[in-house]
Amino acid sequence: MKGVRHYPGFLAITLLCLLVLYLPLTVVAVYSFNGSTSITSWGGFSLRWYADVFTGPEAARFGQAAWNSLTIAIIAATVSTVIATAAALAMIRGGRFRGKTASYALINLPLLVPEIVVAVASLIFFTTIGLTTGYLTILIAHITFCIPFAYLPIAARLSGIEGFYEQAARDLYASPWQAFRLILLPLLGPGILSGYLLAFIISLDDFIITNFVKGAGMETLPTAIFGSVKQGIKPNIMAISTLMLGVSVLFVSLSYLINRRGRPAR
Amino acid sequence: MQTAISIRRAVKRYGPVTALQDVSMDIADNEFFTLLGPSGCGKTTLLRMLAGFEDVTEGEILLFGERIASLPPEKRPVNTVFQQYALFPHLTVLENVAFGLKMKGMGLAERNARAAKMLELVHLSGFADRKPAQLSGGQQQRVALARALAPQPKVLLLDEPLSALDLKLRQAMRVELKALQEETGITFIFVTHDQEEALAMSDRIAVMSAGRVQQIGTPREIYEAPVNRFVADFIGETNLIEVEVDSVSDGRATVTLPGGHRVVCAAATNSGGRHALSIRPERVALAADAPDLHATVERVIYLGTDLHLITRLDGGEPFALRLQNASRTALPDPGARIGLKLEEGAARLLAD
């Protein structure tokens, strides 16, 4: 069979896709180092907009927003990963139980429901039960929609781990808890870490749902950036965006690398 | 001799499906005992019940007189060598072998020393710090053995441990396993579907089929005195011929073959009527004088050490012979009519 590279038009289509996907990102990244105040004309290499992000007039606002984003992402990723791990264990190691299919659908539903629907529904829900919108409501919403993202790599990993490892551990006098902690957890580790990083990034990046449930005066980095952009795009936004892009790329790459390494020998 | 394992009327049901029906057997201490049967016969289910991975629907299992059927796997002083080895991929070879000892609460220095000794026993001393994935299949197999033997189980359970190895290695491991069993003095319960493996290693074999024990005996008993059609057919090659029983008493029978030949044989049944007669192909000789049977040669297959003759008896039944390739007698040609002489004890009347 011919390699895919040898089909006519392969190169052209590939280049077009890469261009559409990555040219805008490249432009933002390049112009974040622009020395001029204009966002369209190049004024030489400079780090002034990065300095502006940390020391400029909007630094305090962005700093607080970044802090909120970071703490929410850490807590949301941690809680959703624990829930997702428990869910994966129940779904894959729990044998048959009533409502298994329904549980599966429930875990994965947030991936399918349009985000704007979740956003509106969450807001209505929080208002109905009388919960003041703010940090806590953002956190609850983030934990909820992070679960399926954490679940996917963990469940994929777990279904690749044969049941005989735990049986072998039990056979060698390990209690169920020891078999889980000493054998299954280390084997599952890369999946859990991968799920955690994915959940972290999803939480860090979220705008739509956060914007609905954040309440007045509370900002995360994406909502703060959006707030700034409404008053016109300044180069410092490009610097912040580039920083966020860097963090995202780092985490997604880590997640990928961790999941690829240390697969159980088959 | 002391009984290591006593299985009493064990039944295993999965919903409406019965995997094991009323299985009873006693396995002696220090015995190499094999559960042999085709896939789906219940042998692995029985082994998993001994290990504690499957619960017992009915009946009782005793380990040196103690009831174990309701104990979880970690409370049973038995260890398992898994078919796929199940070595923990994130632990080194030494840590794998020491795992059971660690779980039993043995200190680090002591358990590492013991694990190293076990690795020596299976000739893998230089591999302690490797990960399982860095070993060949045969080496992984030995680690699995060392790991299961390290905690000094009262009984070692082996679930088709040689099936993933290639032929040469499998044959070498047969000898080694048997030697290891004699060296350690531990009761081995070995599951396999490979009759040659079972015959080569076992002190006794339980032949299983369709969730039932068909026969328990030494390899010689199983091969030479099968009790029923299934055992005769499953172990080795045999010619099975439907015969009419003329008379039967005290384990001897006179039967008539479809072609009219009468044969006196050992009998595993006491009932008359129609039964299967088993004649092993290697227990028959060519004979010009006073033959027991007459046949027509259809095909001669040259196998080096053996000659395989495919013939048809006068009654029309296919009949195979294996002759040693040592005699200088001229071989019959296809189409030739030959006389066959049954060796003493070659023919055996079987229960159904």
Side-chain angles (χ1 to χ4, degrees), chain A residues 164-165 167-176 178 182-183 186-187 264-265, chain B residues 48 53 74 76 78-80 82 84 86-90 100 103 133 147 151:
Chain A
F164 53 58
Y165 292 117
Q167 282 181 356
R170 296 287 300 278
D171 187 61
L172 292 162
Y173 313 108
S175 66
Q178 285 171 318
L182 298 172
I183 302 302
L187 295 179
Chain B
R48 290 173 60 80
F53 303 137
E74 66 269 25
R76 302 185 185 200
V78 301
N79 290 127
T80 308
F82 290 81
Q84 309 89 338
L87 298 178
F88 307 131
H90 60 299
M103 291 301 104
R147 182 178 72 172

Side-chain angles (χ1 to χ4, degrees), chain B residues 25-301:
Chain B
M25 59 180 78
D26 284 322
I27 298 163
D29 192 15
N30 205 1
E31 190 170 24
F32 197 121
F33 191 90
T34 297
L35 301 172
L36 173 67
S39 62
C41 73
K43 57 190 192 299
T44 298
T45 303
L46 184 57
L47 194 81
R48 290 173 60 80
M49 280 160 69
L50 295 177
F53 303 137
E54 303 278 355
D55 43 63
V56 183
T57 313
E58 281 168 32
E60 195 50 74
I61 298 173
L62 287 92
L63 179 75
F64 289 96
E66 192 194 338
R67 286 160 188 267
I68 59 164
S70 58
L71 295 179
E74 66 269 25
K75 296 270 166 63
R76 302 185 185 200
V78 301
N79 290 127
T80 308
V81 177
F82 290 81
Q83 187 172 7
Q84 309 89 338
Y85 315 144
L87 298 178
F88 307 131
H90 60 299
L91 302 182
T92 65
V93 165
L94 191 78
E95 286 167 337
N96 261 284
V97 177
F99 187 85
L101 303 170
K102 183 179 174 186
M103 291 301 104
K104 284 182 113 179
M106 191 182 278
L108 181 71
E110 198 183 347
R111 68 175 187 252
N112 280 354
R114 247 198 84 74
K117 219 167 175 184
M118 292 314 298
L119 285 177
E120 210 172 291
L121 189 68
V122 297
H123 317 297
L124 280 176
S125 293
F127 296 83
D129 296 326
R130 303 225 189 152
K131 288 283 175 66
Q134 295 168 284
L135 303 183
S136 72
Q139 290 166 336
Q140 290 184 24
Q141 162 75 84
R142 287 157 197 268
V143 177
L145 258 172
R147 182 178 72 172
L149 283 169
Q152 289 180 304
K154 288 187 173 163
V155 173
L156 187 74
L157 308 173
L158 302 105
D159 184 10
E160 308 220 15
L162 307 184
S163 61
L165 305 177
D166 60 48
L167 183 66
K168 280 255 190 271
L169 205 52
R170 204 153 66 220
Q171 286 172 341
M173 278 306 287
R174 273 181 208 163
V175 180
E176 222 171 296
L177 263 184
K178 181 72 184 158
L180 203 59
Q181 191 261 332
E182 282 161 6
E183 210 170 317
T184 54
I186 291 173
T187 308
F188 277 31
I189 301 180
F190 186 90
V191 162
T192 186
H193 62 270
D194 183 332
Q195 38 137 333
E196 206 180 301
E197 217 165 84
L199 294 173
M201 289 190 291
S202 316
D203 293 319
R204 283 194 306 152
I205 298 169
V207 182
M208 294 179 69
S209 165
R212 289 179 187 279
V213 174
Q214 304 293 327
Q215 185 172 2
I216 298 177
T218 63
R220 181 171 275 262
E221 282 164 0
I222 298 277
Y223 185 80
E224 304 202 359
V227 293
N228 62 26
R229 214 190 155 101
F230 175 83
V231 177
D233 200 23
F234 188 73
I235 311 288
E237 275 177 272
T238 197
N239 294 294
L240 287 175
I241 303 160
E242 290 295 325
V243 295
E244 202 70 50
V245 179
D246 300 329
S247 67
V248 58
S249 67
D250 292 337
R252 302 291 295 174
T254 309
V255 302
T256 305
L257 274 67
H261 292 293
R262 294 192 112 193
V263 172
V264 177
C265 60
T269 176
N270 271 321
S271 67
R274 287 185 76 78
H275 284 292
L277 182 74
S278 162
I279 304 174
R280 296 285 185 197
E282 75 281 8
R283 307 290 293 274
V284 184
L286 298 180
D289 307 328
D292 296 311
L293 302 168
H294 283 102
T296 308
V297 177
E298 294 196 331
R299 207 175 273 276
V300 181
I301 300 166

Side-chain angles (χ1 to χ4, degrees), chain B residues 307-326:
Chain B
L307 293 164
H308 196 174
L309 261 61
I310 297 173
T311 70
R312 203 165 277 278
L313 296 183
D314 282 359
E317 315 85 339
F319 191 88
L321 281 93
R322 261 178 196 277
L323 305 173
Q324 281 217 316
N325 190 16

